[in-house]
Amino acid sequence: MIEADASTRTLSVDIGGSGVKVMILDTTGNPLSERLRINTPQPPIPGSILNAVNQLALSAGEFERVSVGFPGVVRNGVTETAVNLHPDWIGFNLAGELSKQLQKPVRVINDADMQGLGTIAGKGVELVITLGTGFGSALFIDGRLVPNLEMGHHRFRKGESYEQQLGRFTLEKIGEQKWNQRLGKAISSLQYLFNYDFLYIGGGEAKLVNIQLPANVKVVSNLNGLLGGIALWRM
């Protein structure tokens, strides 16, 4: 494990169902490189995605440590679910394997959790949802993370989950207008469920949100999924 100082550079990695992104950050979270992206390899098995991360890391520049956001439950660097990737990820030691390949210390967290770390104010009950291939979620109480909140797979309406009703497949099927109407219903449901002080909406499809949002709901940049990589090393 390295001893971090003001010059420590972090390679922040966001693994998604459609794309793998990286960016190098300084210790304050400011970007030191452009965001680099490639399409998620198909099939999205561990070896292929690790090769993609390696390829991007070589292009990004020098770094001393690595933060990874992964779309599933992560415990002690091991990925326990991967609904939008491949069953081979279940029980895979992502932190350990990537650390071997890059020869750097690696920390891994759920991707919505990392998005939240790059977004929240740290006061009260803050909920983060991510709209992309699937539906991610993260909950924070006075800045403290409640890890691995997989709310997307819980029932929302008409016997279907939040992910089934609001994931990218459904968006392409029903169109933006109807999808936005469903999102409005989801926001109301989540307010009653969590009584949050603030809700942040991120993810690749957040740019399509065009409904009137309550005062305590805000769309945030998908880039926050990478910027949260610094806060991961402060936990």
Side-chain angles (χ1 to χ4, degrees), residues 5-72:
D5 58 33
S7 65
T8 300
R9 293 156 296 195
T10 302
L11 178 72
S12 192
V13 181
D14 183 4
I15 297 173
S18 60
V20 179
K21 290 84 70 178
V22 307
M23 175 182 281
I24 294 179
L25 307 171
D26 67 16
T27 52
T28 62
N30 291 317
L32 295 174
S33 74
E34 297 294 322
R35 188 192 80 148
L36 303 178
R37 181 191 185 280
I38 60 175
N39 291 336
T40 301
Q42 298 300 321
I45 58 177
S48 297
I49 289 183
L50 261 62
N51 287 339
V53 174
N54 271 278
Q55 177 184 335
L56 291 169
L58 288 172
S59 302
E62 296 184 0
F63 55 91
E64 286 77 42
R65 62 189 185 185
V66 184
S67 297
V68 182
F70 179 84

Side-chain angles (χ1 to χ4, degrees), residues 120-202:
I120 62 168
K123 296 180 180 179
V125 178
E126 296 176 281
L127 181 66
V128 180
I129 61 172
T130 57
L131 305 171
T133 304
F135 182 101
S137 57
L139 181 65
F140 297 82
I141 301 173
D142 291 330
R144 294 179 65 87
L145 172 67
V146 179
N148 294 317
L149 178 72
E150 287 290 90
M151 187 181 62
H153 304 298
H154 284 259
R155 184 173 297 180
F156 168 38
R157 58 190 293 269
K158 296 186 176 181
E160 292 188 336
S161 67
Y162 286 91
E163 183 156 313
Q164 288 172 311
Q165 288 267 306
L166 290 164
R168 183 173 293 132
F169 174 81
T170 299
L171 167 62
E172 294 171 350
K173 180 180 178 181
I174 68 175
E176 291 182 27
Q177 182 177 356
K178 194 169 183 179
W179 179 83
N180 270 278
Q181 291 172 352
R182 288 187 182 181
L183 177 61
K185 294 176 181 178
I187 291 171
S188 296
S189 174
L190 295 172
Q191 175 68 70
Y192 284 117
L193 180 61
F194 291 100
N195 294 293
Y196 52 73
D197 294 295
F198 220 95
L199 169 65
Y200 306 94
I201 303 173

